[in-house]
Amino acid sequence: MKVELTINGTARTAEVEARKTLLDALREDFQLTGTHAGCEHGVCGACTVLIDGAPARSCLMFACQADGYDITTIEGMAPAPGELSVIQDAFCETHGMQCGFCTPGMVLAAHALLAREDSPDRAAIVEAISGNICRCTGYGQIVEAIALAAERLRTANTPRGVRPPQIGAPHVDPDAGEDAPGAGILEAADADMPHGGRP
Amino acid sequence: MTEAPSQFRFVSANRRVREDRRFVAGRGHYVADIALEGMLHVAMVASQHPAARIVSIDASAALALPGVHYVLTGEELAGGVDQLMNGLDTPNVRRYPLAVGRTRYAGEWVAAVVADSRALAEDAAEKVRVVYEPLAYLTKAEEALDPASPPVHPEHGSNILLDRQFVWGEVDRHFAESPRHLSFRVTWGRNSTVPIETFGVVASWDPWRDMLDVWASIQMPKYSDQISRALRIPTNAVRVHQDVDVGGSYGVKRGIKHTVLVGYLSRRLNRPVRFLEDRLENMRSGDAHGPERIFDVDVAFDEAGIIKSMKMRALDNAGAYAGRAPFQLGKPIGAIVGPYKIQSVAYRAQSVTTNKAVQEAVRGFGQSPTNYAIETAMDKVARACGLDRVEARRRNFIRKEEFPYLIPSGTRYDSGDYHTVVEKVLAHVDYDGLLAERDRLRASGLLAGIGIAACLEPSGGNSSFEPLLNEKNTTTTWMDSARITIDGPGFVTVTIHTTSSGQGHETLAATVVAEVLEIDPDRIRVVRPDTLESLPSNSPVGSRMAIMLGGACFHAAQKLKAKLVAIAAFQFGIAPEAARYETGAVSDPASGRRLDWADIVNIAHRNFHLLPPDTEPGLAVTHVMQVPTATKLPEDGRVQMYPCHSFEFHVVLIALDPVLGKPEIRRYVIGHDCGTVINPHIVKGMTLGGIAHGIGAALLEEFVYDDEGQLLTQSFMDYLLPSSHEVPAVEIVHHVTPSPFTVFGQKGSGESGYLGAPAAISGALNDAVDALGIAFDKLPIRIFAISDAVAAARAKQSQEKTSA
């Protein structure tokens, strides 16, 4: 049967068997092999994709069920060929992986978390990746990567002289003293934050 | 040659791991990503009986389905291939990729169905009708020792694959002299490494070139040799492509039976054939389970807690076929006394066949179970002598000044400073504070315990256990290699000759070559030729690549540097020893003359008339490296096993609700000394990952068979891998005791964490329940086992109170 969906911002169609999973369709019909088959019974999370922005197991969904949805795979994360997103780069910075097999799912789970929370604590990060099994790392450097990405996204494009905004703290630069800029500029700093990559 | 850490430019620096870029982008290149034109797919028909005679196989209904190409049976396959290799001298334990005449464990592959798609092959597999005649079976190792037990391989004559008694030193005298003895049994449950990527292989036979191309998710020494031997084709007709990323292995990705099967099919059908295990096939019949071992231990010690002698019997349940698994009883001989000065050891190694899935190499190759037995002994001796468990270990440790230290079984430990590592960890953790915290938790109504484990990671894997356990085997080298070329325009390419499964070998090779040549590592290309273009490698087993690939790269780079210097010195008219090499340029300190990298490379590539006499043009060097210290065959049951010995010291605090029984790790600290660290990110990841794997082995993971011989845990819903919720934030305390036997003082770290975590967690849980008068003597210690044991103990205690 015919499915029409949006993958990484592009409208795609394919003719698939009714029993074909979204995972197999992504890999075989759309040649997007960054989504991996780990257990194929919905536990390990290696096949994680974002469906309308929310992480989901592509092994537990038929391709035809994804008809009409907006799918994001790991191939949709990099801003340009050879370039990395803030989250991907943070995983490289902390070496948040070894064999790389669970990594696409981890990056997408991190992306979904940071799209809704800009300062997740350790517990929130652990919860967000708890549906993705990594056998190599013991998760330590993955948690570090996501915390680092959160910090970088929070502070991206912050104007000079303005300290990284802290949740709940007043947005005033203590070094500015008498020269502290007016409220308008601080609002501009806030307004800049989404350019770090969060929608 | 050992260089002081301060001299390093790139070694030990916090540099990124180059492999990571492709992985975060989803651009790894795994076996499942390889799709060849006209490729066919395989699904397996599995036996549901633990032991049965195959009466008949009717594939007609399967073959009648459109798109189904072939159904292969064991009988046909056995006529076309030779039996798979055994490590031990057990020729009548015959193993083929498919069962021949008889099935030996539930899930064993009986037939292979080949079709246009995997889904179709699976449909057709269900239509293959197999008639079985069930036979008697057994699942328990102790039962297998009984000569009357049903033989898994009747031609072999018994279920015993190996029964070797070693005595190193004066065990009887030491036991007689020692005032105190104790004995105990502990059991290591059957678990494995269970990578997230299952095993997969693609084979493509080209009858016009007589070439079998293979792509596989493989981590296997001498893989091509085994394929060619079984398929009866020359090894130079087998081309294994090593630029395949492997999605985790930690030992088990050996896939030899899969490869022989798929290679046969590709030749039979003249089509490329791919087999990817699904999770069920992986867990039930991928032949990748780990050791399942009973230890009976006796120790002789004195009132001060000094252990003088140990008797250990290790009985391992190898499963239905032999393979290489029994060697996992041999490798721990190289660290059989752990970090302790035990003067004599009697060791009985027994491996038996049963009707369970086959064992494969698992991280540590038998060392982690052995460490669990040794550390349990240490805890029990401390308890018997009324000593703190850390103090008991300190009293038994080999001292820093005693290295290199010869242990009774013939291995010389390279270096270590165990006391200092322990002091650093205790200071970091605030040991008195930790004891107070445990007691505070207990006072609040929880069960709480502290676990301690000290152990070694033998590294730099040779294969000395092979000749030790099999007299027909004369292996004394387990080499690895590197090749470096500088091309005409001056760019550097390094080749490595194995696949990797997450260990960062490309980063390792670039770092080491850059260190020697004093050039930017990021400008060095690292590639993996196929096996026909490769130098010898024994693959990343036995925690060996920092030592062996790092060593080979170091020596090759030194040769290259010497050539650059010789060419330049010749232009200056001076001896090479008088010239000075710095960041790729060579100068003559006397005259001040200097030739840059590009100048020297140009001479090598274009100016034969300027080369010193008898110099080959071009810049290409190779180095094939022998494992340090391994030179001799065993003598009197003694052998030098691995050259290097990393040390780890674990302290863990666990609390649990006595009713729920769910262990919660409140604090986890590890002191780790693997000598000079080449890449800190990689070593940290190995250590944290190893601990997580050890948490699984200690608390969660087991391949459980029921009394009917059926595997009960065959999905991720019942074989539980630790998730981010089960793994705590681990604190690492570093120490560096360089090895005198390696180029930078590095040791191995690929098994770190895993080798001590199970022992430490077991120790913590036993400390937690000690006051109830109970102890856990079998891993994994699952939640229900804890809550049941605690409930029974409490009921008994309250009963005793009432009756008193």
Side-chain angles (χ1 to χ4, degrees):
Chain A
M1 54 198 297
K2 191 179 177 190
V3 290
E4 297 181 24
L5 27 71
T6 304
I7 306 176
N8 302 328
T10 306
R12 306 284 297 267
T13 61
E15 197 63 43
V16 296
E17 264 189 278
R19 68 174 176 175
K20 193 164 207 173
T21 62
L22 176 60
L23 167 65
D24 285 347
L26 288 170
R27 293 182 54 84
E28 294 167 11
D29 297 270
F30 299 110
Q31 282 77 48
L32 295 168
T33 54
T35 307
H36 295 150
C39 68
E40 296 176 284
H41 54 262
V43 179
C44 79
C47 67
T48 300
V49 297
L50 304 182
I51 297 180
D52 286 354
R57 311 277 201 229
S58 63
C59 77
L60 289 186
M61 188 171 188
F62 291 117
C64 54
Q65 288 176 297
D67 190 77
Y69 282 100
D70 188 350
I71 313 292
T72 307
T73 70
I74 190 66
E75 288 87 352
M77 287 287 106
E83 289 182 21
L84 301 178
S85 73
V86 171
I87 294 171
Q88 289 172 314
D89 190 73
F91 271 75
C92 292
E93 182 65 20
T94 67
H95 188 43
M97 78 208 80
Q98 285 172 34
C99 78
F101 201 75
C102 75
T103 309
M106 286 288 182
V107 169
L108 288 163
H111 185 87
L113 169 69
L114 298 181
R116 58 170 199 272
E117 267 186 71
D118 61 6
S119 302
D121 59 10
R122 181 184 153 82
I125 295 171
V126 163
E127 175 62 25
I129 60 168
S130 63
N132 294 68
I133 306 291
C134 171
R135 192 54 157 171
C136 293
T137 65
Y139 307 101
Q141 287 146 300
I142 295 174
V143 173
E144 278 177 42
I146 297 170
L148 175 64
E151 185 196 326
R152 287 178 167 178
L153 289 169
R154 270 200 313 275
T155 55
N157 293 354
T158 305
R160 279 179 295 181
V162 176
R163 289 281 172 84
Q166 300 296 321
I167 301 308
H171 288 199
V172 175
D173 179 9
D175 293 342
E178 297 277 308
D179 299 329
I185 294 179
L186 287 170
E187 279 164 21
D190 285 341
D192 257 351
M193 288 182 57
H195 295 295
R198 274 196 318 282
Chain B
M1 183 176 325
T2 303
E3 298 183 9
S6 58
Q7 293 173 353
F8 298 141
R9 289 165 193 266
F10 308 115
V11 166
S12 300
N14 236 334
R15 296 177 51 80
R16 284 190 177 194
V17 176
R18 59 169 55 196
E19 288 89 339
D20 292 356
R21 270 178 66 79
R22 63 176 185 262
F23 294 142
V24 293
R27 299 286 176 176
H29 185 236
Y30 301 93
V31 68
D33 305 338
I34 292 159
L36 303 179
E37 190 66 35
M39 186 169 80
L40 300 175
H41 302 261
V42 181
M44 301 297 175
V45 178
S47 165
Q48 67 267 47
H49 299 285
R53 192 173 72 82
I54 300 170
V55 178
S56 65
I57 299 175
D58 176 5
S60 53
L63 287 165
L65 283 179
V68 174
H69 292 257
Y70 205 69
V71 176
L72 176 67
T73 64
E75 201 146 341
E76 179 193 329
L77 185 62
V81 305
D82 283 345
Q83 70 185 69
L84 306 183
M85 246 178 70
N86 286 325
L88 298 172
D89 184 19
T90 51
N92 294 320
V93 178
R94 294 194 182 89
R95 182 186 183 194
Y96 291 92
L98 299 174
V100 182
R102 170 184 185 114
T103 71
R104 294 181 168 85
Y105 63 93
E108 184 175 9
W109 299 337
V110 171
V113 179
V114 188
D116 282 335
S117 75
R118 185 175 160 199
L120 202 52
E122 286 176 11
D123 291 345
E126 291 181 6
K127 294 195 177 294
V128 176
R129 294 280 161 260
V130 184
V131 178
Y132 298 98
E133 179 189 305
L135 298 169
Y137 61 90
L138 79 168
T139 57
K140 295 185 172 60
E142 290 192 292
E143 215 180 305
L145 293 173
D146 181 351
S149 61
V152 178
H153 295 268
E155 310 80 15
H156 179 64
S158 81
N159 282 314
I160 297 171
L161 292 170
L162 173 75
D163 189 354
R164 274 287 294 272
Q165 175 73 58
F166 296 93
V167 179
W168 302 296
E170 297 184 68
V171 175
D172 289 341
R173 184 168 73 82
H174 289 153
F175 263 80
E177 282 173 6
S178 296
R180 304 197 60 179
H181 300 172
L182 64 80
S183 306
F184 64 91
R185 167 173 284 203
V186 286
T187 302
W188 177 275
R190 175 175 277 247
N191 64 65
S192 191
T193 71
V194 197
I196 304 302
E197 181 206 44
T198 59
F199 183 80
V201 55
V202 181
S204 180
W205 172 252
D206 182 336
W208 314 111
R209 290 182 179 80
D210 284 339
M211 183 70 80
L212 185 73
D213 280 289
V214 176
W215 294 259
S217 174
I218 194 78
Q219 180 203 9
M220 172 85 179
K222 301 181 166 68
Y223 179 52
S224 301
D225 301 10
Q226 291 210 40
I227 300 169
S228 86
R229 190 174 313 181
L231 291 176
R232 303 170 186 156
I233 56 177
T235 315
N236 63 9
V238 178
R239 179 163 57 196
V240 180
H241 297 263
Q242 299 185 122
D243 56 347
V244 175
D245 290 312
V246 179
S249 172
Y250 334 95
V252 299
K253 288 267 180 77
R254 303 297 173 107
I256 187 68
K257 76 169 185 181
H258 316 56
T259 308
V260 170
L261 174 75
V262 170
Y264 175 85
L265 285 169
S266 180
R267 296 184 78 204
R268 180 75 184 74
L269 303 174
N270 269 312
R271 293 276 291 270
V273 177
R274 181 170 86 182
F275 173 59
L276 304 175
E277 291 174 340
D278 68 15
R279 188 50 65 183
L280 175 62
E281 285 159 340
N282 172 264
M283 299 183 79
R284 188 176 64 178
S285 42
D287 289 0
H289 289 190
E292 174 186 350
R293 202 169 285 185
I294 298 168
F295 291 96
D296 289 309
V297 182
D298 306 275
V299 284
F301 55 103
D302 64 16
E303 300 298 344
I306 307 292
I307 301 180
K308 199 172 209 175
S309 187
M310 175 175 74
K311 296 176 188 168
M312 178 184 282
R313 171 203 184 221
L315 170 60
D316 203 295
N317 185 336
Y321 296 93
R324 204 174 157 77
F327 286 144
Q328 297 190 85
L329 287 161
K331 182 265 184 91
I333 289 171
I336 197 69
V337 295
Y340 308 115
K341 288 193 279 190
I342 301 171
Q343 294 175 32
S344 60
V345 178
Y347 179 62
R348 186 172 185 188
Q350 294 176 299
S351 177
V352 295
T353 47
T354 66
N355 297 99
K356 287 187 176 182
V358 184
Q359 246 188 50
E360 196 40 273
V362 159
R363 195 176 208 155
F365 211 61
Q367 193 70 53
S368 193
T370 308
N371 290 348
Y372 163 59
I374 297 170
E375 287 307 280
T376 302
M378 199 49 75
D379 279 356
K380 286 182 184 290
V381 167
R383 193 176 188 279
C385 295
L387 283 173
D388 175 82
R389 287 169 293 161
V390 178
E391 178 57 22
R393 286 170 170 83
R394 274 195 289 228
R395 290 183 183 187
N396 284 281
F397 278 152
I398 300 160
R399 303 202 71 87
K400 182 186 177 185
E401 60 276 11
E402 292 170 312
F403 292 96
Y405 181 89
L406 180 66
I407 68 168
S409 52
T411 291
R412 208 172 283 279
Y413 290 169
D414 55 336
S415 66
D417 187 356
Y418 309 153
H419 291 90
T420 300
V421 175
V422 168
E423 289 323 306
K424 282 170 85 167
V425 169
L426 295 187
H428 171 85
V429 77
D430 177 15
Y431 189 52
D432 291 336
L434 195 73
L435 290 166
E437 172 66 6
R438 176 192 65 182
D439 296 341
R440 192 191 64 72
L441 290 166
R442 287 177 178 175
S444 76
L446 296 175
L447 295 173
I450 292 174
I452 304 289
C455 66
L456 299 181
E457 177 181 358
S459 53
N462 54 36
S463 213
S464 296
F465 43 77
E466 291 185 19
L468 188 64
L469 296 185
N470 180 355
E471 284 171 4
K472 289 187 178 168
N473 186 316
T474 56
T475 301
T476 56
T477 184
W478 203 243
M479 58 210 153
D480 233 283
S481 321
R483 176 167 59 219
I484 311 174
T485 55
I486 305 176
D487 57 29
F491 293 94
V492 180
T493 301
V494 180
T495 63
I496 60 178
H497 309 104
T498 178
T499 51
S500 301
S501 39
Q503 304 96 331
H505 298 135
E506 295 165 27
T507 300
L508 166 68
T511 304
V512 170
V513 172
E515 184 69 42
V516 175
L517 296 179
E518 304 174 31
I519 58 175
D520 181 357
D522 290 341
R523 296 182 55 104
I524 297 175
R525 174 72 60 181
V526 180
V527 296
R528 301 165 192 269
D530 64 57
T531 47
L532 295 182
E533 297 166 346
S534 281
L535 298 167
S537 170
N538 281 290
S539 86
V541 297
S543 268
R544 66 199 299 275
M545 288 319 238
I547 296 161
M548 293 303 298
L549 178 59
C553 286
F554 176 90
H555 291 297
Q558 290 288 6
K559 287 180 188 174
L560 197 54
K561 185 158 100 177
K563 186 166 181 180
L564 293 168
V565 169
I567 292 170
F570 187 69
Q571 315 310 312
F572 304 147
I574 62 173
E577 302 76 49
R580 181 154 174 254
Y581 181 96
E582 193 177 14
T583 60
V586 181
S587 56
D588 173 8
S591 69
R593 284 202 294 164
R594 169 190 161 100
L595 281 174
D596 286 332
W597 177 270
D599 304 326
I600 308 170
V601 170
N602 194 58
I603 292 170
H605 276 274
R606 293 193 176 81
N607 307 137
F608 190 75
H609 62 287
L610 298 179
L611 288 176
D614 303 323
T615 302
E616 285 178 20
L619 291 163
V621 297
T622 61
H623 188 84
V624 183
M625 183 171 164
Q626 165 69 343
V627 180
T629 73
T631 55
K632 285 195 274 187
L633 284 171
E635 286 169 20
D636 307 326
R638 288 179 169 85
V639 72
Q640 172 70 41
M641 209 71 73
Y642 296 5
C644 302
H645 297 81
S646 301
F647 176 69
E648 57 193 57
F649 181 67
H650 301 243
V651 178
V652 54
L653 172 66
I654 292 181
L656 56 104
D657 181 299
V659 176
L660 300 177
K662 185 182 178 192
E664 189 186 313
I665 300 174
R666 295 292 181 96
R667 188 96 192 263
Y668 203 118
V669 181
I670 179 172
H672 185 226
D673 181 356
C674 63
T676 303
V677 169
I678 293 179
N679 184 294
H681 288 304
I682 292 175
V683 171
K684 178 179 174 182
M686 289 288 163
T687 307
L688 298 181
I691 288 171
H693 189 184
I695 290 170
L699 299 175
L700 301 169
E701 299 176 37
E702 187 174 16
F703 290 112
V704 180
Y705 284 81
D706 68 6
D707 291 340
E708 307 293 311
Q710 298 294 328
L711 179 62
L712 298 179
T713 49
Q714 46 186 12
S715 81
F716 281 172
M717 283 178 277
D718 29 44
Y719 185 100
L720 301 177
L721 304 176
S723 79
S724 56
H725 282 305
E726 281 76 44
V727 184
V730 173
E731 300 151 67
I732 304 179
V733 176
H734 293 284
H735 191 73
V736 175
T737 310
S739 173
F741 302 145
T742 60
V743 295
F744 298 113
Q746 76 271 35
K747 306 181 180 185
S749 73
E751 298 155 359
S752 62
Y754 181 64
L755 297 185
I761 290 165
S762 162
L765 288 172
N766 279 322
D767 186 37
V769 300
D770 191 51
L772 293 167
I774 54 175
F776 301 107
D777 56 6
K778 180 184 181 310
L779 299 185
I781 306 168
R782 302 182 80 175
I783 294 172
F784 66 83
I786 299 172
S787 55
D788 287 359
V790 169
R794 288 183 141 191
K796 194 173 156 212
Q797 276 185 345
S798 67
Q799 213 169 24
E800 280 164 6
K801 262 186 213 155
T802 322
S803 57

